[in-house]
Structure formats: C-alpha cells, structure tokens
Amino acid sequence: EVQLVESGGGLVQPGGSLRLSCAASGFTFSNYAMSWVRQALGKGLEWVSAVTVSGGGTYYADSVKGRFTISRDNSKNTLYLQMTSLRADDTAVYFCAKGGMVRGVKPFDPWGQGTLVTVSS
Amino acid sequence: EIVLTQSPATLSLSPGERATLSCRASQSVSSYLAWYQQKPGQAPRLLIYDASNRATGIPARFSGSGSETDFTLTISSLEPEDFAIYYCQQRSNWPQTFGGGTKVEIK
C-alpha cells in the first residue's frame, strides 16, 4: 500500500523558516516525480512545487518562488520542502503527493494526510 | 496561468439523484484535466484523470467527459458517501491550477 506521511509542520513567526518532510513507502520512490500542494483553512487547493525523479528539475508557484526549496533524498524515500521568509498567507495544511508533472503519467495520486503550518506572531 | 472555473459552487441533491459538475478552463488544457474528491478533515482523492479515466478503485458511478476547455464530472446516482467537495485540476501547463471547488450537499 502506498503511504505518504508528512511531518515538520508547526507554529512559526513571520520571517521564520521551517522544513517539511514526507516519508514515502509502498512504491519505488525514485521512479516518481513528487509534489507539494497546500490548502488554507476552509479554502481551495493550491499547487506549491514539484520535483523530477532525479531531483534535478524543480518547479514552483510564483507565490513561493525564491522562498521555498523542494528536494528529495531517494536513498531515504523522503521528500522535503524548505520554507523560508514565511508569511501569514503561507498558513495552510501542506500535502505531499505522488506524481504531478505537467503532461506526466498521472496527476497527484495519492496524497499524504497533510501537516499544518501556522505563521503567526 | 490557466484559470479553472467550477460551477455550480454548491449542488444540493438527494441520495440516488444524478450530479453534474462543470469545470471550464480559460484556455485549452487538451485532456489533461483531473477530478478530486475531498471530505472534511481528509486529503483529496483522485477520481478521474485525463478527463475520462477512472482512477484505481473508483466506482463506475463516477464518470468524466470533455476536452479542451469544457469538462464534466457526473455521478450517476449519489451514494451517502459521495457528499463532499469536488475539485478539478489541470496539468497541461505550469503552474498547475485547481478550480475553486463544487460542494455537493444533501438536500
């Protein structure tokens, strides 16, 4: 069974940093692109970032470009999202998802349960 | 950026009824359109990808159609567990974008 388990969320002050992790199991992690998608409380879904199988290609939403960095460690089956210069509007549940390349094999499937990031003083 | 507009925002129906949800793209996305279901407190679940392909384990009462800019998700006969929010998503161009969602609620 494919499992994605996010961790690393929490309360952080504006301007602060946080690193999210997503531990993958049940599939060959190194064969799949991976993505982060977020959802502010009570709001819709917003794609954040994606990374290719090797980690050599990364893609970002304009809202996070220059502040967030996606990476992966295929030896540890883990996806990361390093978030810096955090703002109040980054407050959201952050989901990791398998897949998500434009015109790739499949869209986001499945998703982890999410980790809540709250940016507040 | 491709904007996806979902309608209606809310659909009030009874179990057993047919649900028809619409997603319109601001420019062509070919067939790179997916549908997700989200229940309160849960992660989204992929229902349909590439406009009309059911994801693994998705019941046959869910079907998708359309291409280019106009897409439809149909639930042929609503089951109690189908009352949820549904999102469309395009993966034709960066950035990938989602529609604002349609809430299917019990009438």
Side-chain angles (χ1 to χ4, degrees):
Chain A
E1 179 195 4
V2 173
Q3 275 206 311
L4 299 170
V5 180
E6 302 94 335
S7 60
L11 175 63
V12 61
Q13 293 190 336
S17 300
L18 211 55
R19 187 176 85 155
L20 306 183
S21 299
C22 171
S25 61
F27 66 104
T28 306
F29 181 73
S30 58
N31 285 354
Y32 292 90
M34 295 293 295
S35 303
W36 290 96
V37 179
R38 68 184 180 183
Q39 185 172 37
L41 263 58
K43 303 296 184 182
L45 299 166
E46 179 188 18
W47 170 77
V48 173
S49 185
V51 64
T52 58
V53 294
S54 67
T58 56
Y59 304 84
Y60 299 95
D62 284 347
S63 57
V64 306
K65 200 172 294 183
R67 300 187 299 122
F68 290 11
T69 303
I70 191 171
S71 63
R72 63 191 297 161
D73 186 335
N74 287 342
S75 68
K76 295 182 178 179
N77 292 344
T78 303
L79 175 72
Y80 302 101
L81 186 68
Q82 179 69 48
M83 305 184 294
T84 63
S85 303
L86 282 161
R87 312 185 302 222
D89 62 359
D90 294 317
T91 295
V93 175
Y94 285 73
F95 298 99
C96 72
K98 174 171 163 274
M101 277 292 125
V102 159
R103 301 186 177 230
V105 174
K106 267 195 180 178
F108 310 116
D109 181 43
W111 301 50
Q113 86 288 350
T115 187
L116 176 62
V117 172
T118 303
V119 184
S120 174
S121 54
Chain B
E1 172 174 316
I2 296 175
V3 176
L4 298 179
T5 302
Q6 291 188 241
S7 62
T10 304
L11 201 50
S12 298
L13 295 168
S14 301
E17 289 194 293
R18 183 183 190 88
T20 303
L21 287 66
S22 173
C23 177
R24 178 161 289 176
S26 59
Q27 64 189 75
S28 174
V29 299
S30 184
S31 293
Y32 293 103
L33 194 287
W35 292 92
Y36 300 86
Q37 176 193 67
Q38 188 178 33
K39 298 179 181 179
Q42 295 185 18
R45 176 176 71 146
L46 177 67
L47 298 176
I48 301 287
Y49 66 97
D50 295 350
S52 61
N53 296 297
R54 269 190 306 277
T56 303
I58 301 304
R61 64 180 181 273
F62 292 91
S63 63
S65 63
S67 64
E68 308 293 343
T69 60
D70 287 287
F71 300 88
T72 300
L73 173 69
T74 302
I75 310 171
S76 59
S77 178
L78 283 164
E79 296 288 339
E81 61 268 27
D82 299 336
F83 291 92
I85 299 176
Y86 293 83
Y87 295 95
C88 59
Q89 176 243 338
Q90 67 82 19
R91 61 192 185 93
S92 174
N93 291 73
W94 299 106
Q96 301 185 60
T97 50
F98 290 87
T102 290
K103 182 180 182 180
V104 178
E105 65 176 24
I106 299 176
K107 187 174 182 180

